[in-house]
Amino acid sequence: MPPLRWGICAAGKISHDFVVALKTLPSEDHKAVAIAARELTHAQAFAKQHNIPRAYGSYKELAQDPDVDVVYVGVIHTQHCAVTILFLRAQKNVLCEKPLAMNAAQVREMIRAARDNDVFLMEGFWTRFFPVSDQIRTTLRQKALGDLKVLRAQLGFRMDKTPRLLEKKLGGGVILDLGCYCVQFASMVFGAEMPESIVASGLLHNTGVDETVAIVLNYSGKRQAVLNCTMMIDLPGEAIIGGTEGVIKIPDHMNSPTIMFLKGSRWEWTLPPSPEPLFFKHDIGLRYEAKHVRQCLLNGLKESPIMPLCESELIATITDEARRQVGVSYEADKAVEEHQAKTNK
C-alpha cells in the first residue's frame, strides 16, 4: 500500500506537533504532502521546516489538491465547522481537532456533509487512541472492576494569559478546551449514552468565558461521573474509575495518559522520543490517532469505531448543556437559538 498522504490545514502549534508525530510513524505509511494557511508565507515557512512539498495560501487550494488523501484540520474551534465542511464537500477525508465544532448543531451539520459526500470524518480526541485507553476498554469489557459506580476526572492548565482561551469570538473557555476531554472520558467508560441528569456549576472570567467548571453526570444504573476543569492553575490531570471489584487510577495527564494503576499493579506505555521540539507535552502521542485513521481508511470505513460520530454529537450535546447552565454562549449558538424560537412560535 502507498503511504497515506496528509494535507495539513493551518500552520499553528498543534499542526506542527501533529506533523512531528507523523514523523515517528513509518514513512511508507504516512506522508505530509501539503500545507495550507491563511497566509502563503506562513504555509511556505511551515513547508520548509517540515520538508512538505506543496504550500497553499488558502484552504480551498488544499481542498482541490488531487494528491491529498486526508486532511488534518488544526484551525481554531470557531472555524472547525466551515473549514471541515469545505474539505468534506471536496470529497476529502478529514481528521478534525477537538472539539469537533462549537455546538451539537454544527456537529450534526458536519456529519451530514460527511455522509452526503461518502467520506471519512473523525473528531481528534487523541486520548482514545493511547495504549492506556485501549487497556482501560479491555479491562472494562472483561468486567474486571465489577459493576461501575463512580468516575472522577480533573484537568487543568494555566492558560489565563492565552488570548484564544479568553476571547469568546475565538471560542474561548475551558469547557470546549479541556472539559470536553473529561466528558469524552466519562462517555468512553460508562458508554455512549445520554446521562439521566447533567448538573454544571462554573466561574466566569471577566471576558465572559468559563474559567473553572464542575460537571456532575448521573448515568443509568446509579453511576456517577464528577468532572472538574480549569484554565486558572495547573492540575495533575488525575482520573479514577471505581467499580464494585476494583479501581483504575490514572495519576496524571488523563487526556494523554501513559501510566495507569489497576488493582495495585502499575502499567506504563512510554511515548517514543520526539525527533523535534514540541509545543505541548505528550503531543508525540498524536501518532496514535493518525495510525488509527490510516487503519480505518484501509478498511474502507467512513467513521471510527473507537470515536464514532454519534458519540461526537453526544459529547457536544452534553457540553452544550453544561455551557447553558454555566452561562456561556457563542455566536454559533445564536443561529440555533433563533431557529428554536421560530420553531416554538
Side-chain angles (χ1 to χ4, degrees):
M1 288 294 296
L4 184 64
R5 300 171 299 179
W6 288 89
I8 309 299
C9 174
K13 294 177 180 179
I14 191 65
S15 293
H16 164 88
D17 285 5
F18 182 80
V19 171
V20 173
L22 281 183
K23 295 174 185 179
T24 68
L25 295 168
S27 58
E28 61 268 24
D29 291 345
H30 299 269
K31 183 174 177 59
V33 298
I35 167 70
R38 287 176 296 177
E39 294 187 27
L40 180 59
T41 53
H42 292 169
Q44 289 171 331
F46 192 100
K48 183 178 181 181
Q49 180 181 3
H50 295 288
N51 196 29
I52 296 174
R54 296 186 297 283
Y56 299 117
S58 72
Y59 302 148
K60 185 176 180 181
E61 289 175 280
L62 178 61
Q64 294 171 341
D65 188 328
D67 296 321
V68 168
D69 300 314
V70 58
V71 176
Y72 172 77
V73 173
V75 297
I76 62 172
H77 309 339
T78 51
Q79 297 180 24
H80 282 185
C81 181
V83 171
T84 295
I85 287 175
L86 168 71
F87 292 117
L88 296 173
R89 288 177 176 166
Q91 277 76 52
K92 297 298 185 192
N93 301 298
V94 175
L95 167 62
C96 178
E97 258 305 330
K98 63 84 208 164
L100 191 57
M102 294 298 293
N103 54 41
Q106 286 190 343
V107 169
R108 287 189 286 271
E109 189 179 350
M110 295 161 80
I111 293 172
R112 280 194 298 271
R115 290 176 177 162
D116 288 348
N117 291 279
D118 196 32
V119 286
F120 178 90
L121 172 63
M122 189 182 90
E123 182 173 16
F125 271 122
W126 62 325
T127 314
R128 289 280 172 109
F129 308 99
F130 275 68
V132 166
S133 296
D134 187 52
Q135 184 60 46
I136 289 172
R137 290 190 293 269
T138 298
T139 301
L140 298 181
R141 279 195 301 269
Q142 294 169 346
K143 306 290 185 182
L145 300 186
D147 297 328
L148 299 181
K149 292 297 180 183
V150 174
L151 177 152
R152 189 174 78 231
Q154 45 102 325
L155 196 59
F157 295 101
R158 180 75 187 270
M159 299 184 291
D160 60 319
K161 305 297 182 187
T162 305
R164 178 182 67 79
L165 270 296
L166 298 178
E167 298 294 331
K168 269 195 176 185
K169 65 182 179 182
L170 300 178
V174 75
I175 291 176
L176 289 189
D177 203 71
L178 299 181
C180 59
Y181 280 121
C182 298
V183 173
Q184 72 79 30
F185 185 71
S187 187
M188 182 185 81
V189 171
F190 285 157
E193 65 178 71
M194 178 61 72
E196 292 181 344
S197 69
I198 301 167
V199 178
S201 178
L203 304 171
L204 302 186
H205 194 272
N206 57 22
T207 61
V209 302
D210 47 308
E211 64 178 36
T212 298
V213 176
I215 304 171
V216 178
L217 306 177
N218 288 335
Y219 286 83
S220 62
K222 295 184 177 180
R223 298 168 298 159
Q224 186 177 78
V226 179
L227 316 173
N228 297 94
C229 56
T230 182
M231 64 179 187
M232 303 308 291
I233 61 169
D234 292 324
L235 292 173
E238 181 185 71
I240 291 176
I241 305 166
T244 54
E245 296 178 24
V247 171
I248 288 174
K249 178 179 178 180
I250 298 172
D252 54 34
H253 295 92
M254 58 77 57
N255 64 320
S256 54
T258 58
I259 299 170
M260 65 174 271
F261 293 90
L262 170 60
K263 297 182 178 181
S265 297
R266 185 180 190 273
W267 303 57
E268 181 173 7
W269 291 265
T270 56
L271 289 166
S274 177
E276 299 171 32
L278 297 168
F279 283 104
F280 305 106
K281 191 170 183 177
H282 286 193
D283 265 8
I284 209 69
L286 290 164
R287 69 197 301 273
Y288 298 126
E289 67 176 4
K291 187 176 179 180
H292 177 74
V293 168
R294 181 174 184 270
Q295 287 304 312
C296 287
L297 294 177
L298 286 176
N299 291 323
L301 301 180
K302 303 304 178 184
E303 61 182 290
S304 162
I306 295 175
M307 190 62 239
L309 294 173
C310 62
E311 196 168 0
S312 289
E313 182 182 351
L314 173 64
I315 292 165
T317 301
I318 294 170
T319 55
D320 280 358
E321 177 58 20
R323 286 194 298 107
R324 187 192 68 79
Q325 292 184 25
V326 171
V328 175
S329 64
Y330 300 102
E331 192 67 33
D333 298 319
K334 288 184 179 179
V336 178
E337 292 164 0
E338 290 170 0
H339 175 73
Q340 288 175 340
K342 290 179 182 177
T343 303
N344 294 333
K345 280 184 178 179

